[in-house]
């Protein structure tokens, strides 16, 4: 079976069988048709989000807790808006104001969240694997909103939806991911997602920022950005994750920009209609120039944010479906 076959709607199983997972902790291990099902479901929410009344109501009476142990603007807001549009009661827990600051363990926090009978918990945490730890302790679905340098599954899904809407079938596309691949959960989740869907993925960056594990990830690695851009259909830029760096990985931001910054001139090496993407937050003038990031003909950056809400609505809906079915809801 090729990765494109399951995109035909009638091939998806119905109800909660279409995505038979309790949690969304990562993209690794998902089947192509499971990813395509999430993307297909998100399409309806893109349409709803463009209307003036955006209420779906499928999650009326359910409670979603967003537990963010790391800073976030777009992901937190996106999950909050997604939950509210689905009709859920959404509560945000910011670590800075939480008992974590008083020395509570992550497991005690998880047990506390569980006792409040949340119907879904969305977690961002600075440590890889922390989200899995919480998922093992609670009774409801857990969605990973980014754990350390491990995975950021909804980012990869929103990126895939953006690419699919702009370029059609992802299978066969050449996608160049450039920057701080080593510390990036966005890169990791995107590599899993795009290769699973049949894209040819190239990763590029200074040798100090390319992880050794790339050998096992079915990607081509480049240290020369110009070469990595040749023939690219999509160019995905990454921020230098300074907060995760232990020591110096690049000589200076100026030198980094010289070799790995996406300028207009450099973008001309990719295909004429190559799509430019960035998960945000952007460091303008470092990994990407403003005249590229703001070029509405080439850049999909704001569309990525828009797709983020729709994808998160789909994920919340699908993961809570099983408990709604048990309760006799439709
Ligand atoms: C990314 C993250 O937090 O991993 N941002 C995001 O979720 N939109 C990427 C980054 O911080 O550079």
């Amino acid at each position: 079976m090729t990765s494109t076959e399951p995109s035909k709607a009638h091939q998806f199983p119905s109800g909660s069988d279409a995505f038979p997972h309790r949690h969304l902790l990562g993209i690794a291990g998902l089947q192509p048709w499971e990813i395509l099902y999430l993307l297909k479901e998100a399409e309806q929410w893109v349409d709803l989000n463009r209307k003036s009344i955006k209420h779906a109501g499928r999650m009326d009476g359910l409670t979603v807790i967003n537990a963010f142990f790391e800073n976030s603007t777009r992901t937190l807001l996106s999950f909050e808006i997604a939950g509210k549009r689905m009709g859920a009661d959404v509560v945000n827990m910011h670590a800075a104001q939480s008992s974590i600051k008083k020395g509570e363990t992550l497991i005690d926090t998880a047990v506390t969240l569980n006792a409040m009978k949340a119907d879904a918990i969305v977690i961002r945490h600075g440590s890889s694997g922390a989200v899995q730890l919480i998922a093992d302790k609670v009774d409801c679905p857990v969605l990973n909103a980014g754990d350390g340098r491990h995975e950021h599954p909804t980012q990869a899904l929103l990126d895939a939806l953006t690419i699919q809407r702009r370029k059609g079938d992802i299978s066969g596309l050449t996608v160049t991911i450039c920057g701080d691949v080593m510390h990036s959960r966005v890169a990791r989740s995107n590599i899993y997602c795009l290769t699973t869907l049949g894209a040819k993925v190239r990763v590029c960056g200074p040798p100090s920022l390319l992880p050794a594990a790339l050998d096992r990830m079915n990607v081509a690695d480049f240290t020369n950005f110009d070469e990595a851009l040749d023939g690219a259909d999509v160019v995905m830029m990454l921020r230098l994750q300074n907060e995760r760096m232990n020591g110096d990985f690049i000589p200076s931001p100026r030198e980094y920009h010289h070799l790995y910054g996406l300028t207009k001139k450099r973008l001309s090496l990719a295909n004429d209609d190559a799509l430019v993407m960035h998960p945000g937050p952007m460091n303008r003038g470092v990994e990407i120039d403003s005249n590229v990031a703001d070029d509405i003909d080439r850049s999909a950056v704001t569309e990525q944010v828009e797709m983020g809400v729709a994808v998160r609505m789909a994920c919340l809906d699908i993961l809570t479906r099983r408990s709604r079915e048990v309760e006799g809801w439709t």
Side-chain angles (χ1 to χ4, degrees):
M1 183 188 288
T2 68
S3 61
T4 52
E5 282 175 334
S7 64
K8 294 182 199 120
H10 65 269
Q11 289 181 316
F12 294 118
S14 61
S16 48
D17 291 341
F19 190 79
H21 303 277
R22 181 153 177 250
H23 307 294
L24 181 64
L25 303 182
I27 299 292
L30 294 186
Q31 300 299 327
W33 53 90
E34 292 168 349
I35 297 173
L36 290 168
Y37 177 70
L38 291 171
L39 301 184
K40 180 190 83 75
E41 284 287 296
E43 284 287 353
Q44 67 194 297
W45 308 127
V46 178
D47 296 341
L48 179 82
N49 290 340
R50 290 182 176 178
K51 297 190 172 142
S52 49
I53 306 292
K54 304 174 182 64
H55 190 71
R58 283 202 193 174
M59 291 175 65
D60 279 347
L62 302 194
T63 303
V64 176
I65 299 181
N66 292 325
F68 276 57
F69 299 87
E70 240 193 14
N71 292 343
S72 173
T73 306
R74 72 207 78 222
T75 307
L76 176 60
L77 272 178
S78 184
F79 266 112
E80 182 173 3
I81 290 171
K84 286 183 171 159
R85 289 198 181 151
M86 295 310 286
D89 299 313
V90 182
V91 184
N92 295 336
M93 190 206 89
H94 302 275
Q97 294 129 32
S98 73
S99 292
I100 303 293
K101 290 276 166 216
K102 299 182 186 170
E104 183 172 82
T105 66
L106 194 55
I107 290 179
D108 282 342
T109 305
V111 170
T112 303
L113 295 179
N114 197 46
M116 293 183 186
K117 308 280 181 235
D119 298 288
I121 302 179
V122 180
I123 300 164
R124 168 167 285 196
H125 199 284
S127 301
S128 309
V131 176
Q132 172 80 61
L133 193 79
I134 295 183
D136 291 342
K137 296 281 167 212
V138 299
D139 299 319
C140 67
V142 168
L143 293 89
N144 183 358
D147 62 331
R149 46 166 105 168
H150 176 226
E151 280 234 36
H152 192 350
T154 55
Q155 180 69 45
L157 292 168
L158 75 87
D159 288 338
L161 184 61
T162 306
I163 297 172
Q164 200 182 56
R165 288 171 63 92
R166 286 277 199 121
K167 299 262 168 213
D169 205 337
I170 288 175
S171 178
L173 292 177
T174 298
V175 182
T176 298
I177 303 177
C178 180
D180 180 2
V181 182
M182 166 105 90
H183 300 100
S184 175
R185 53 201 178 199
V186 174
R188 197 172 307 270
S189 289
N190 262 299
I191 289 170
Y192 290 135
C193 186
L194 294 167
T195 55
T196 302
L197 295 181
K200 288 173 256 170
V201 178
R202 301 171 176 173
V203 297
C204 176
S208 57
L209 292 175
L210 293 181
L214 284 177
D215 296 351
R216 302 191 297 270
M217 294 181 92
N218 200 14
V219 296
D221 57 311
F222 294 74
T223 49
N224 182 313
F225 192 18
D226 293 356
E227 287 172 14
L229 285 170
D230 184 29
D233 298 298
V234 177
V235 184
M236 196 179 280
M237 301 305 296
L238 303 172
R239 184 178 65 87
L240 289 168
Q241 311 264 302
N242 293 308
E243 70 277 22
R244 283 183 236 294
M245 291 183 194
N246 207 347
D248 289 334
F249 283 77
I250 56 158
S252 70
R254 219 164 75 102
E255 210 159 327
Y256 180 82
H257 176 265
H258 178 64
L259 292 172
Y260 297 103
L262 189 61
T263 59
K264 253 215 146 87
K265 183 158 171 257
R266 203 165 249 147
L267 181 59
S268 68
L269 299 171
N271 286 347
D272 290 344
D273 59 350
L275 194 62
V276 174
M277 303 178 75
H278 193 303
M282 290 186 280
N283 281 327
R284 291 166 182 265
V286 182
E287 72 271 10
I288 191 165
D289 279 1
S290 282
N291 59 5
V292 177
D294 301 335
D295 180 348
I296 49 165
D297 295 325
R298 307 300 295 276
S299 167
V301 172
T302 49
E303 206 170 313
Q304 287 172 267
V305 177
E306 181 188 355
M307 294 309 127
V309 177
V311 153
R312 289 169 180 131
M313 289 169 80
C315 292
L316 286 168
D317 174 37
I318 290 164
L319 288 174
T320 56
R321 200 173 276 169
R322 198 175 296 272
S323 61
R324 286 172 1 226
E325 282 170 357
V326 169
E327 300 256 332
W329 298 22
T330 53

